[in-house]
Amino acid sequence: MLDSLPAVNGSGAASELVVDLAAIRQNYFDLKARLGGVECGAAVKADAYGIGVEQVGPTLFDAGCRTFFVATIDEGIALREILPRARIAVLNGLLDGTEDVFPEFGLIPVINDLEQIARIRQMCIRADRSLPAMLHIDTGMSRLGLTAEDMKWIADEPDVLGGPDWLYALSHLASADEPGNPSNAIQLSRFREQLPRLQQRMQASLANSAGIFLGPDYHFNLARPGFALYGGRVKDGEPSPMAPVVRLAARILQVRTVRAGETVGYGGTYKMRKDGRVATVAAGYADGYLRALSNHGAAYIGDRRLPVVGRVSMDMLAVDVSDVDRAEIHPGGFVDLLGPHYTVNDAADAAGTIGYEILTGLGHRYTRRYIEAGSAET
């Protein structure tokens, strides 16, 4: 996996983002094994959580995934070009003016309100056939989805769901990464209560990444993992059981001696306690390395931790390399800002955010390389 990779050479790149597709494949297999015979789909919205859907999509399809979830219709169209035979659902729903796009590109709308139900029914009438759709029921997020009042009205109107080919009724867990949170059981109970109200037979989907780990009661017929596929944690505050997927190697621009009492970076927020050496590294908040990691983040060379010192600026950050042999730290060399020793979850904890933000914020100035761990290409 990523911890077995030698330092990258960069070929002139300021920094390099290495994505281990074999790790994504293995994470999918591990999640699927936890589900028993339940279908395992995949959320690949936001460019596969910043990893790169053009590479991730085919990797997951080859691993056996057939049902993919995106957020926007544009993401769905792009994914259709990559995966001609996949089932692609658009979570944002059937918005006014998009009626012709869904059948044209073979996309499946996730229906979020009563108006969208009417819209998909009219589409079926015009097409003179049943079009596929999914029905979203809100069980506690108060975000998208049919309310309890909407569902009561549906139960009283036996024909309201007639027309579309309803594939799944789905809902979304708000606190699945907190297994002891009572809201999980409440949402599960509400979801089970609503399913019999549906006049049309359809399968059910509730579990996201963390929901898979809540156990079989939450699995139903289809799970929709996202973050866990990319190495993200599934329980708040605990290490991730998933294989790390990304390694961010940043080039060293300069190494300099900084005397005791001198400050580093904008605002002088870090003062050297003793004479030491500081390496300036080519990554900053314009690259998605959060400013909140100023004086809190870390880099690694091998298994040695290098604290981030001073403020993260737009294009650069600084790390204290005083305790590393001079021969190992030099301009043109690399340090790992993300990797097996310092994952997206570790960076998120240090920044006071979540790993989702770290992944999806990774910039486009990095040279990106997609590898199969253990291959000759490193």
Side-chain angles (χ1 to χ4, degrees), residues 14-16 248-253 279-291 293 299 308 311-319 335-338 362-363 365-366:
S15 298
E16 189 167 51
L248 177 56
R251 189 181 288 276
I252 299 167
L253 300 175
T280 302
V281 175
Y285 56 75
D287 305 293
Y289 194 87
L290 300 182
R291 192 170 183 268
L293 288 167
V308 171
R311 287 181 182 167
V312 175
S313 57
M314 182 180 292
D315 311 301
M316 291 174 282
L317 57 88
V319 295
V335 298
D336 283 343
L337 297 180
L338 295 173
L362 292 174
R365 293 199 295 188
Y366 305 125

PDB file of all heavy atoms in Angstrom, residues 14-16 248-253 279-291 293 299 308 311-319 335-338 362-363 365-366:
ATOM      1  N   ALA A  14       5.801  20.841  -8.337  1.00  0.00           N
ATOM      2  CA  ALA A  14       5.979  21.411  -7.006  1.00  0.00           C
ATOM      3  C   ALA A  14       5.553  20.412  -5.948  1.00  0.00           C
ATOM      4  O   ALA A  14       6.212  20.225  -4.940  1.00  0.00           O
ATOM      5  CB  ALA A  14       5.181  22.700  -6.871  1.00  0.00           C
ATOM      6  N   SER A  15       4.415  19.760  -6.165  1.00  0.00           N
ATOM      7  CA  SER A  15       3.916  18.760  -5.231  1.00  0.00           C
ATOM      8  C   SER A  15       3.171  17.695  -6.026  1.00  0.00           C
ATOM      9  O   SER A  15       2.749  17.929  -7.157  1.00  0.00           O
ATOM     10  CB  SER A  15       2.988  19.391  -4.192  1.00  0.00           C
ATOM     11  OG  SER A  15       3.676  20.353  -3.427  1.00  0.00           O
ATOM     12  N   GLU A  16       2.982  16.537  -5.404  1.00  0.00           N
ATOM     13  CA  GLU A  16       2.398  15.418  -6.136  1.00  0.00           C
ATOM     14  C   GLU A  16       1.391  14.692  -5.257  1.00  0.00           C
ATOM     15  O   GLU A  16       1.664  14.377  -4.091  1.00  0.00           O
ATOM     16  CB  GLU A  16       3.498  14.461  -6.571  1.00  0.00           C
ATOM     17  CG  GLU A  16       3.024  13.374  -7.512  1.00  0.00           C
ATOM     18  CD  GLU A  16       4.175  12.652  -8.165  1.00  0.00           C
ATOM     19  OE1 GLU A  16       5.083  12.203  -7.447  1.00  0.00           O
ATOM     20  OE2 GLU A  16       4.174  12.536  -9.409  1.00  0.00           O
ATOM     21  N   LEU A 248       0.074  12.768  -0.279  1.00  0.00           N
ATOM     22  CA  LEU A 248       0.407  14.092  -0.782  1.00  0.00           C
ATOM     23  C   LEU A 248       1.865  14.380  -0.439  1.00  0.00           C
ATOM     24  O   LEU A 248       2.224  14.572   0.720  1.00  0.00           O
ATOM     25  CB  LEU A 248      -0.507  15.151  -0.167  1.00  0.00           C
ATOM     26  CG  LEU A 248      -0.216  16.603  -0.556  1.00  0.00           C
ATOM     27  CD1 LEU A 248      -0.248  16.786  -2.073  1.00  0.00           C
ATOM     28  CD2 LEU A 248      -1.221  17.541   0.119  1.00  0.00           C
ATOM     29  N   ALA A 249       2.706  14.364  -1.464  1.00  0.00           N
ATOM     30  CA  ALA A 249       4.135  14.603  -1.296  1.00  0.00           C
ATOM     31  C   ALA A 249       4.452  16.005  -1.811  1.00  0.00           C
ATOM     32  O   ALA A 249       4.200  16.319  -2.975  1.00  0.00           O
ATOM     33  CB  ALA A 249       4.945  13.557  -2.060  1.00  0.00           C
ATOM     34  N   ALA A 250       4.977  16.846  -0.930  1.00  0.00           N
ATOM     35  CA  ALA A 250       5.233  18.247  -1.285  1.00  0.00           C
ATOM     36  C   ALA A 250       6.727  18.509  -1.378  1.00  0.00           C
ATOM     37  O   ALA A 250       7.506  18.054  -0.540  1.00  0.00           O
ATOM     38  CB  ALA A 250       4.604  19.172  -0.239  1.00  0.00           C
ATOM     39  N   ARG A 251       7.095  19.264  -2.394  1.00  0.00           N
ATOM     40  CA  ARG A 251       8.517  19.524  -2.639  1.00  0.00           C
ATOM     41  C   ARG A 251       9.062  20.574  -1.674  1.00  0.00           C
ATOM     42  O   ARG A 251       8.400  21.568  -1.357  1.00  0.00           O
ATOM     43  CB  ARG A 251       8.729  19.995  -4.083  1.00  0.00           C
ATOM     44  CG  ARG A 251      10.197  20.070  -4.486  1.00  0.00           C
ATOM     45  CD  ARG A 251      10.348  20.565  -5.904  1.00  0.00           C
ATOM     46  NE  ARG A 251       9.946  19.599  -6.902  1.00  0.00           N
ATOM     47  CZ  ARG A 251      10.725  18.624  -7.365  1.00  0.00           C
ATOM     48  NH1 ARG A 251      11.934  18.465  -6.867  1.00  0.00           N
ATOM     49  NH2 ARG A 251      10.295  17.818  -8.301  1.00  0.00           N
ATOM     50  N   ILE A 252      10.282  20.339  -1.236  1.00  0.00           N
ATOM     51  CA  ILE A 252      10.997  21.306  -0.404  1.00  0.00           C
ATOM     52  C   ILE A 252      11.628  22.358  -1.314  1.00  0.00           C
ATOM     53  O   ILE A 252      12.334  22.033  -2.274  1.00  0.00           O
ATOM     54  CB  ILE A 252      12.093  20.612   0.428  1.00  0.00           C
ATOM     55  CG1 ILE A 252      11.464  19.577   1.373  1.00  0.00           C
ATOM     56  CG2 ILE A 252      12.917  21.630   1.216  1.00  0.00           C
ATOM     57  CD1 ILE A 252      12.473  18.645   1.998  1.00  0.00           C
ATOM     58  N   LEU A 253      11.359  23.629  -1.017  1.00  0.00           N
ATOM     59  CA  LEU A 253      11.895  24.726  -1.811  1.00  0.00           C
ATOM     60  C   LEU A 253      13.199  25.261  -1.252  1.00  0.00           C
ATOM     61  O   LEU A 253      14.093  25.673  -2.003  1.00  0.00           O
ATOM     62  CB  LEU A 253      10.871  25.865  -1.888  1.00  0.00           C
ATOM     63  CG  LEU A 253       9.518  25.510  -2.517  1.00  0.00           C
ATOM     64  CD1 LEU A 253       8.575  26.696  -2.423  1.00  0.00           C
ATOM     65  CD2 LEU A 253       9.694  25.066  -3.965  1.00  0.00           C
ATOM     66  N   ALA A 279      12.280  24.038   6.896  1.00  0.00           N
ATOM     67  CA  ALA A 279      12.139  23.786   5.465  1.00  0.00           C
ATOM     68  C   ALA A 279      10.869  24.453   4.961  1.00  0.00           C
ATOM     69  O   ALA A 279       9.790  24.297   5.554  1.00  0.00           O
ATOM     70  CB  ALA A 279      12.085  22.289   5.185  1.00  0.00           C
ATOM     71  N   THR A 280      10.989  25.211   3.881  1.00  0.00           N
ATOM     72  CA  THR A 280       9.831  25.812   3.226  1.00  0.00           C
ATOM     73  C   THR A 280       9.344  24.851   2.146  1.00  0.00           C
ATOM     74  O   THR A 280      10.129  24.404   1.301  1.00  0.00           O
ATOM     75  CB  THR A 280      10.193  27.164   2.606  1.00  0.00           C
ATOM     76  OG1 THR A 280      10.690  28.027   3.637  1.00  0.00           O
ATOM     77  CG2 THR A 280       8.980  27.799   1.955  1.00  0.00           C
ATOM     78  N   VAL A 281       8.048  24.540   2.182  1.00  0.00           N
ATOM     79  CA  VAL A 281       7.457  23.476   1.369  1.00  0.00           C
ATOM     80  C   VAL A 281       6.429  24.074   0.421  1.00  0.00           C
ATOM     81  O   VAL A 281       5.671  24.986   0.788  1.00  0.00           O
ATOM     82  CB  VAL A 281       6.805  22.419   2.280  1.00  0.00           C
ATOM     83  CG1 VAL A 281       6.084  21.357   1.471  1.00  0.00           C
ATOM     84  CG2 VAL A 281       7.868  21.780   3.178  1.00  0.00           C
ATOM     85  N   ALA A 282       6.368  23.555  -0.794  1.00  0.00           N
ATOM     86  CA  ALA A 282       5.513  24.097  -1.851  1.00  0.00           C
ATOM     87  C   ALA A 282       4.092  23.554  -1.756  1.00  0.00           C
ATOM     88  O   ALA A 282       3.663  22.717  -2.554  1.00  0.00           O
ATOM     89  CB  ALA A 282       6.103  23.783  -3.218  1.00  0.00           C
ATOM     90  N   ALA A 283       3.341  24.018  -0.785  1.00  0.00           N
ATOM     91  CA  ALA A 283       1.905  23.738  -0.672  1.00  0.00           C
ATOM     92  C   ALA A 283       1.318  24.772   0.270  1.00  0.00           C
ATOM     93  O   ALA A 283       1.962  25.171   1.248  1.00  0.00           O
ATOM     94  CB  ALA A 283       1.644  22.329  -0.148  1.00  0.00           C
ATOM     95  N   GLY A 284       0.098  25.197  -0.030  1.00  0.00           N
ATOM     96  CA  GLY A 284      -0.547  26.195   0.810  1.00  0.00           C
ATOM     97  C   GLY A 284      -2.050  26.092   0.693  1.00  0.00           C
ATOM     98  O   GLY A 284      -2.581  25.139   0.123  1.00  0.00           O
ATOM     99  N   TYR A 285      -2.732  27.104   1.209  1.00  0.00           N
ATOM    100  CA  TYR A 285      -4.191  27.011   1.212  1.00  0.00           C
ATOM    101  C   TYR A 285      -4.794  27.097  -0.180  1.00  0.00           C
ATOM    102  O   TYR A 285      -5.908  26.643  -0.411  1.00  0.00           O
ATOM    103  CB  TYR A 285      -4.830  28.018   2.166  1.00  0.00           C
ATOM    104  CG  TYR A 285      -4.485  29.476   1.959  1.00  0.00           C
ATOM    105  CD1 TYR A 285      -5.029  30.215   0.918  1.00  0.00           C
ATOM    106  CD2 TYR A 285      -3.646  30.128   2.857  1.00  0.00           C
ATOM    107  CE1 TYR A 285      -4.740  31.563   0.762  1.00  0.00           C
ATOM    108  CE2 TYR A 285      -3.351  31.477   2.711  1.00  0.00           C
ATOM    109  CZ  TYR A 285      -3.890  32.196   1.664  1.00  0.00           C
ATOM    110  OH  TYR A 285      -3.594  33.522   1.501  1.00  0.00           O
ATOM    111  N   ALA A 286      -4.053  27.627  -1.160  1.00  0.00           N
ATOM    112  CA  ALA A 286      -4.540  27.595  -2.546  1.00  0.00           C
ATOM    113  C   ALA A 286      -4.542  26.172  -3.097  1.00  0.00           C
ATOM    114  O   ALA A 286      -5.202  25.901  -4.096  1.00  0.00           O
ATOM    115  CB  ALA A 286      -3.688  28.492  -3.437  1.00  0.00           C
ATOM    116  N   ASP A 287      -3.816  25.286  -2.441  1.00  0.00           N
ATOM    117  CA  ASP A 287      -3.764  23.884  -2.842  1.00  0.00           C
ATOM    118  C   ASP A 287      -4.675  23.018  -1.981  1.00  0.00           C
ATOM    119  O   ASP A 287      -4.669  21.788  -2.108  1.00  0.00           O
ATOM    120  CB  ASP A 287      -2.335  23.361  -2.722  1.00  0.00           C
ATOM    121  CG  ASP A 287      -1.350  24.207  -3.519  1.00  0.00           C
ATOM    122  OD1 ASP A 287      -1.449  24.192  -4.751  1.00  0.00           O
ATOM    123  OD2 ASP A 287      -0.507  24.886  -2.897  1.00  0.00           O
ATOM    124  N   GLY A 288      -5.435  23.638  -1.094  1.00  0.00           N
ATOM    125  CA  GLY A 288      -6.321  22.881  -0.229  1.00  0.00           C
ATOM    126  C   GLY A 288      -5.704  22.475   1.088  1.00  0.00           C
ATOM    127  O   GLY A 288      -6.330  21.753   1.873  1.00  0.00           O
ATOM    128  N   TYR A 289      -4.461  22.903   1.357  1.00  0.00           N
ATOM    129  CA  TYR A 289      -3.863  22.641   2.662  1.00  0.00           C
ATOM    130  C   TYR A 289      -4.333  23.760   3.591  1.00  0.00           C
ATOM    131  O   TYR A 289      -3.884  24.894   3.497  1.00  0.00           O
ATOM    132  CB  TYR A 289      -2.340  22.595   2.582  1.00  0.00           C
ATOM    133  CG  TYR A 289      -1.715  21.995   3.824  1.00  0.00           C
ATOM    134  CD1 TYR A 289      -1.540  20.622   3.937  1.00  0.00           C
ATOM    135  CD2 TYR A 289      -1.334  22.796   4.884  1.00  0.00           C
ATOM    136  CE1 TYR A 289      -0.995  20.062   5.081  1.00  0.00           C
ATOM    137  CE2 TYR A 289      -0.787  22.246   6.032  1.00  0.00           C
ATOM    138  CZ  TYR A 289      -0.622  20.881   6.123  1.00  0.00           C
ATOM    139  OH  TYR A 289      -0.086  20.323   7.269  1.00  0.00           O
ATOM    140  N   LEU A 290      -5.244  23.444   4.473  1.00  0.00           N
ATOM    141  CA  LEU A 290      -6.023  24.449   5.186  1.00  0.00           C
ATOM    142  C   LEU A 290      -5.169  25.380   6.043  1.00  0.00           C
ATOM    143  O   LEU A 290      -4.232  24.944   6.726  1.00  0.00           O
ATOM    144  CB  LEU A 290      -7.069  23.772   6.071  1.00  0.00           C
ATOM    145  CG  LEU A 290      -8.094  22.883   5.355  1.00  0.00           C
ATOM    146  CD1 LEU A 290      -9.089  22.318   6.355  1.00  0.00           C
ATOM    147  CD2 LEU A 290      -8.810  23.651   4.257  1.00  0.00           C
ATOM    148  N   ARG A 291      -5.522  26.654   6.033  1.00  0.00           N
ATOM    149  CA  ARG A 291      -4.838  27.635   6.884  1.00  0.00           C
ATOM    150  C   ARG A 291      -5.011  27.297   8.358  1.00  0.00           C
ATOM    151  O   ARG A 291      -4.174  27.660   9.194  1.00  0.00           O
ATOM    152  CB  ARG A 291      -5.383  29.033   6.589  1.00  0.00           C
ATOM    153  CG  ARG A 291      -4.556  30.174   7.189  1.00  0.00           C
ATOM    154  CD  ARG A 291      -5.027  31.506   6.635  1.00  0.00           C
ATOM    155  NE  ARG A 291      -4.230  32.623   7.116  1.00  0.00           N
ATOM    156  CZ  ARG A 291      -4.508  33.341   8.182  1.00  0.00           C
ATOM    157  NH1 ARG A 291      -5.598  33.039   8.912  1.00  0.00           N
ATOM    158  NH2 ARG A 291      -3.748  34.352   8.556  1.00  0.00           N
ATOM    159  N   LEU A 293      -4.432  24.677   9.684  1.00  0.00           N
ATOM    160  CA  LEU A 293      -3.342  23.800  10.098  1.00  0.00           C
ATOM    161  C   LEU A 293      -2.088  24.574  10.493  1.00  0.00           C
ATOM    162  O   LEU A 293      -1.080  23.966  10.870  1.00  0.00           O
ATOM    163  CB  LEU A 293      -3.016  22.811   8.977  1.00  0.00           C
ATOM    164  CG  LEU A 293      -4.081  21.724   8.765  1.00  0.00           C
ATOM    165  CD1 LEU A 293      -3.859  20.994   7.451  1.00  0.00           C
ATOM    166  CD2 LEU A 293      -4.079  20.743   9.928  1.00  0.00           C
ATOM    167  N   ALA A 299       4.053  17.253   8.848  1.00  0.00           N
ATOM    168  CA  ALA A 299       4.526  16.539   7.672  1.00  0.00           C
ATOM    169  C   ALA A 299       5.357  15.358   8.166  1.00  0.00           C
ATOM    170  O   ALA A 299       5.667  15.258   9.358  1.00  0.00           O
ATOM    171  CB  ALA A 299       5.359  17.458   6.784  1.00  0.00           C
ATOM    172  N   VAL A 308       4.347  21.507  11.501  1.00  0.00           N
ATOM    173  CA  VAL A 308       4.149  22.727  10.735  1.00  0.00           C
ATOM    174  C   VAL A 308       4.331  23.906  11.680  1.00  0.00           C
ATOM    175  O   VAL A 308       3.724  23.959  12.754  1.00  0.00           O
ATOM    176  CB  VAL A 308       2.753  22.760  10.091  1.00  0.00           C
ATOM    177  CG1 VAL A 308       2.472  24.129   9.467  1.00  0.00           C
ATOM    178  CG2 VAL A 308       2.632  21.670   9.034  1.00  0.00           C
ATOM    179  N   ARG A 311       2.285  30.334  10.047  1.00  0.00           N
ATOM    180  CA  ARG A 311       1.038  30.295   9.288  1.00  0.00           C
ATOM    181  C   ARG A 311       1.219  29.634   7.930  1.00  0.00           C
ATOM    182  O   ARG A 311       2.215  29.851   7.251  1.00  0.00           O
ATOM    183  CB  ARG A 311       0.501  31.715   9.099  1.00  0.00           C
ATOM    184  CG  ARG A 311      -0.100  32.337  10.356  1.00  0.00           C
ATOM    185  CD  ARG A 311      -0.627  33.718  10.066  1.00  0.00           C
ATOM    186  NE  ARG A 311      -1.171  34.331  11.279  1.00  0.00           N
ATOM    187  CZ  ARG A 311      -1.466  35.621  11.388  1.00  0.00           C
ATOM    188  NH1 ARG A 311      -1.264  36.445  10.356  1.00  0.00           N
ATOM    189  NH2 ARG A 311      -1.952  36.099  12.522  1.00  0.00           N
ATOM    190  N   VAL A 312       0.223  28.858   7.549  1.00  0.00           N
ATOM    191  CA  VAL A 312       0.148  28.359   6.185  1.00  0.00           C
ATOM    192  C   VAL A 312      -0.232  29.532   5.285  1.00  0.00           C
ATOM    193  O   VAL A 312      -1.216  30.231   5.542  1.00  0.00           O
ATOM    194  CB  VAL A 312      -0.902  27.239   6.073  1.00  0.00           C
ATOM    195  CG1 VAL A 312      -1.074  26.808   4.614  1.00  0.00           C
ATOM    196  CG2 VAL A 312      -0.521  26.049   6.951  1.00  0.00           C
ATOM    197  N   SER A 313       0.543  29.770   4.250  1.00  0.00           N
ATOM    198  CA  SER A 313       0.230  30.856   3.324  1.00  0.00           C
ATOM    199  C   SER A 313      -0.349  30.290   2.030  1.00  0.00           C
ATOM    200  O   SER A 313      -0.622  29.093   1.930  1.00  0.00           O
ATOM    201  CB  SER A 313       1.472  31.710   3.060  1.00  0.00           C
ATOM    202  OG  SER A 313       2.521  30.932   2.555  1.00  0.00           O
ATOM    203  N   MET A 314      -0.560  31.139   1.044  1.00  0.00           N
ATOM    204  CA  MET A 314      -1.260  30.702  -0.159  1.00  0.00           C
ATOM    205  C   MET A 314      -0.532  29.583  -0.888  1.00  0.00           C
ATOM    206  O   MET A 314      -1.150  28.606  -1.333  1.00  0.00           O
ATOM    207  CB  MET A 314      -1.461  31.884  -1.113  1.00  0.00           C
ATOM    208  CG  MET A 314      -2.240  31.517  -2.368  1.00  0.00           C
ATOM    209  SD  MET A 314      -2.468  32.912  -3.488  1.00  0.00           S
ATOM    210  CE  MET A 314      -3.583  33.943  -2.532  1.00  0.00           C
ATOM    211  N   ASP A 315       0.794  29.702  -0.996  1.00  0.00           N
ATOM    212  CA  ASP A 315       1.557  28.773  -1.820  1.00  0.00           C
ATOM    213  C   ASP A 315       2.594  27.973  -1.045  1.00  0.00           C
ATOM    214  O   ASP A 315       3.214  27.069  -1.608  1.00  0.00           O
ATOM    215  CB  ASP A 315       2.309  29.542  -2.923  1.00  0.00           C
ATOM    216  CG  ASP A 315       1.404  30.502  -3.655  1.00  0.00           C
ATOM    217  OD1 ASP A 315       0.412  30.039  -4.229  1.00  0.00           O
ATOM    218  OD2 ASP A 315       1.686  31.716  -3.628  1.00  0.00           O
ATOM    219  N   MET A 316       2.798  28.296   0.221  1.00  0.00           N
ATOM    220  CA  MET A 316       3.882  27.693   0.981  1.00  0.00           C
ATOM    221  C   MET A 316       3.490  27.459   2.428  1.00  0.00           C
ATOM    222  O   MET A 316       2.588  28.109   2.962  1.00  0.00           O
ATOM    223  CB  MET A 316       5.121  28.592   0.937  1.00  0.00           C
ATOM    224  CG  MET A 316       5.791  28.684  -0.420  1.00  0.00           C
ATOM    225  SD  MET A 316       7.152  29.895  -0.444  1.00  0.00           S
ATOM    226  CE  MET A 316       6.221  31.431  -0.561  1.00  0.00           C
ATOM    227  N   LEU A 317       4.218  26.549   3.036  1.00  0.00           N
ATOM    228  CA  LEU A 317       4.157  26.355   4.482  1.00  0.00           C
ATOM    229  C   LEU A 317       5.560  25.979   4.936  1.00  0.00           C
ATOM    230  O   LEU A 317       6.439  25.690   4.126  1.00  0.00           O
ATOM    231  CB  LEU A 317       3.134  25.282   4.859  1.00  0.00           C
ATOM    232  CG  LEU A 317       3.291  23.885   4.252  1.00  0.00           C
ATOM    233  CD1 LEU A 317       4.201  22.999   5.100  1.00  0.00           C
ATOM    234  CD2 LEU A 317       1.927  23.214   4.107  1.00  0.00           C
ATOM    235  N   ALA A 318       5.764  25.997   6.244  1.00  0.00           N
ATOM    236  CA  ALA A 318       7.079  25.699   6.792  1.00  0.00           C
ATOM    237  C   ALA A 318       6.979  24.576   7.806  1.00  0.00           C
ATOM    238  O   ALA A 318       5.997  24.471   8.550  1.00  0.00           O
ATOM    239  CB  ALA A 318       7.681  26.942   7.439  1.00  0.00           C
ATOM    240  N   VAL A 319       8.001  23.717   7.830  1.00  0.00           N
ATOM    241  CA  VAL A 319       8.069  22.638   8.805  1.00  0.00           C
ATOM    242  C   VAL A 319       9.419  22.678   9.496  1.00  0.00           C
ATOM    243  O   VAL A 319      10.444  23.036   8.892  1.00  0.00           O
ATOM    244  CB  VAL A 319       7.837  21.250   8.164  1.00  0.00           C
ATOM    245  CG1 VAL A 319       6.427  21.144   7.616  1.00  0.00           C
ATOM    246  CG2 VAL A 319       8.856  20.970   7.073  1.00  0.00           C
ATOM    247  N   VAL A 335       8.554  15.968   1.315  1.00  0.00           N
ATOM    248  CA  VAL A 335       7.988  15.510   2.585  1.00  0.00           C
ATOM    249  C   VAL A 335       6.541  15.107   2.323  1.00  0.00           C
ATOM    250  O   VAL A 335       5.909  15.601   1.380  1.00  0.00           O
ATOM    251  CB  VAL A 335       8.045  16.602   3.681  1.00  0.00           C
ATOM    252  CG1 VAL A 335       9.485  16.976   3.992  1.00  0.00           C
ATOM    253  CG2 VAL A 335       7.228  17.838   3.277  1.00  0.00           C
ATOM    254  N   ASP A 336       6.010  14.209   3.130  1.00  0.00           N
ATOM    255  CA  ASP A 336       4.613  13.790   3.001  1.00  0.00           C
ATOM    256  C   ASP A 336       3.729  14.656   3.875  1.00  0.00           C
ATOM    257  O   ASP A 336       3.900  14.699   5.096  1.00  0.00           O
ATOM    258  CB  ASP A 336       4.450  12.326   3.419  1.00  0.00           C
ATOM    259  CG  ASP A 336       4.931  11.352   2.363  1.00  0.00           C
ATOM    260  OD1 ASP A 336       5.081  11.786   1.203  1.00  0.00           O
ATOM    261  OD2 ASP A 336       5.153  10.179   2.690  1.00  0.00           O
ATOM    262  N   LEU A 337       2.776  15.344   3.253  1.00  0.00           N
ATOM    263  CA  LEU A 337       1.777  16.104   4.011  1.00  0.00           C
ATOM    264  C   LEU A 337       0.568  15.246   4.345  1.00  0.00           C
ATOM    265  O   LEU A 337      -0.125  15.499   5.326  1.00  0.00           O
ATOM    266  CB  LEU A 337       1.336  17.336   3.213  1.00  0.00           C
ATOM    267  CG  LEU A 337       2.427  18.365   2.940  1.00  0.00           C
ATOM    268  CD1 LEU A 337       1.859  19.531   2.137  1.00  0.00           C
ATOM    269  CD2 LEU A 337       3.052  18.868   4.235  1.00  0.00           C
ATOM    270  N   LEU A 338       0.283  14.261   3.513  1.00  0.00           N
ATOM    271  CA  LEU A 338      -0.738  13.256   3.781  1.00  0.00           C
ATOM    272  C   LEU A 338      -0.166  11.909   3.385  1.00  0.00           C
ATOM    273  O   LEU A 338       0.603  11.817   2.431  1.00  0.00           O
ATOM    274  CB  LEU A 338      -2.020  13.522   2.977  1.00  0.00           C
ATOM    275  CG  LEU A 338      -2.802  14.788   3.275  1.00  0.00           C
ATOM    276  CD1 LEU A 338      -3.937  14.954   2.256  1.00  0.00           C
ATOM    277  CD2 LEU A 338      -3.371  14.774   4.691  1.00  0.00           C
ATOM    278  N   LEU A 362      -8.633  19.270  -1.925  1.00  0.00           N
ATOM    279  CA  LEU A 362      -7.310  19.123  -2.530  1.00  0.00           C
ATOM    280  C   LEU A 362      -7.282  19.797  -3.898  1.00  0.00           C
ATOM    281  O   LEU A 362      -8.132  19.555  -4.744  1.00  0.00           O
ATOM    282  CB  LEU A 362      -6.944  17.637  -2.659  1.00  0.00           C
ATOM    283  CG  LEU A 362      -6.709  16.912  -1.333  1.00  0.00           C
ATOM    284  CD1 LEU A 362      -6.512  15.423  -1.571  1.00  0.00           C
ATOM    285  CD2 LEU A 362      -5.516  17.495  -0.582  1.00  0.00           C
ATOM    286  N   GLY A 363      -6.299  20.649  -4.100  1.00  0.00           N
ATOM    287  CA  GLY A 363      -6.284  21.520  -5.271  1.00  0.00           C
ATOM    288  C   GLY A 363      -5.847  20.826  -6.542  1.00  0.00           C
ATOM    289  O   GLY A 363      -5.553  19.631  -6.580  1.00  0.00           O
ATOM    290  N   ARG A 365      -3.259  22.079  -8.475  1.00  0.00           N
ATOM    291  CA  ARG A 365      -1.880  22.392  -8.855  1.00  0.00           C
ATOM    292  C   ARG A 365      -0.952  21.200  -8.620  1.00  0.00           C
ATOM    293  O   ARG A 365       0.182  21.208  -9.084  1.00  0.00           O
ATOM    294  CB  ARG A 365      -1.380  23.620  -8.077  1.00  0.00           C
ATOM    295  CG  ARG A 365      -2.095  24.892  -8.470  1.00  0.00           C
ATOM    296  CD  ARG A 365      -1.330  26.124  -8.065  1.00  0.00           C
ATOM    297  NE  ARG A 365      -1.212  26.287  -6.615  1.00  0.00           N
ATOM    298  CZ  ARG A 365      -0.708  27.373  -6.033  1.00  0.00           C
ATOM    299  NH1 ARG A 365      -0.262  28.373  -6.779  1.00  0.00           N
ATOM    300  NH2 ARG A 365      -0.646  27.466  -4.726  1.00  0.00           N
ATOM    301  N   TYR A 366      -1.440  20.215  -7.879  1.00  0.00           N
ATOM    302  CA  TYR A 366      -0.628  19.022  -7.693  1.00  0.00           C
ATOM    303  C   TYR A 366      -0.585  18.219  -8.994  1.00  0.00           C
ATOM    304  O   TYR A 366      -1.581  18.124  -9.716  1.00  0.00           O
ATOM    305  CB  TYR A 366      -1.226  18.112  -6.612  1.00  0.00           C
ATOM    306  CG  TYR A 366      -1.456  18.774  -5.280  1.00  0.00           C
ATOM    307  CD1 TYR A 366      -2.721  18.748  -4.700  1.00  0.00           C
ATOM    308  CD2 TYR A 366      -0.427  19.397  -4.597  1.00  0.00           C
ATOM    309  CE1 TYR A 366      -2.957  19.343  -3.474  1.00  0.00           C
ATOM    310  CE2 TYR A 366      -0.648  19.993  -3.370  1.00  0.00           C
ATOM    311  CZ  TYR A 366      -1.918  19.965  -2.804  1.00  0.00           C
ATOM    312  OH  TYR A 366      -2.143  20.552  -1.595  1.00  0.00           O
TER     313      TYR A 366
END
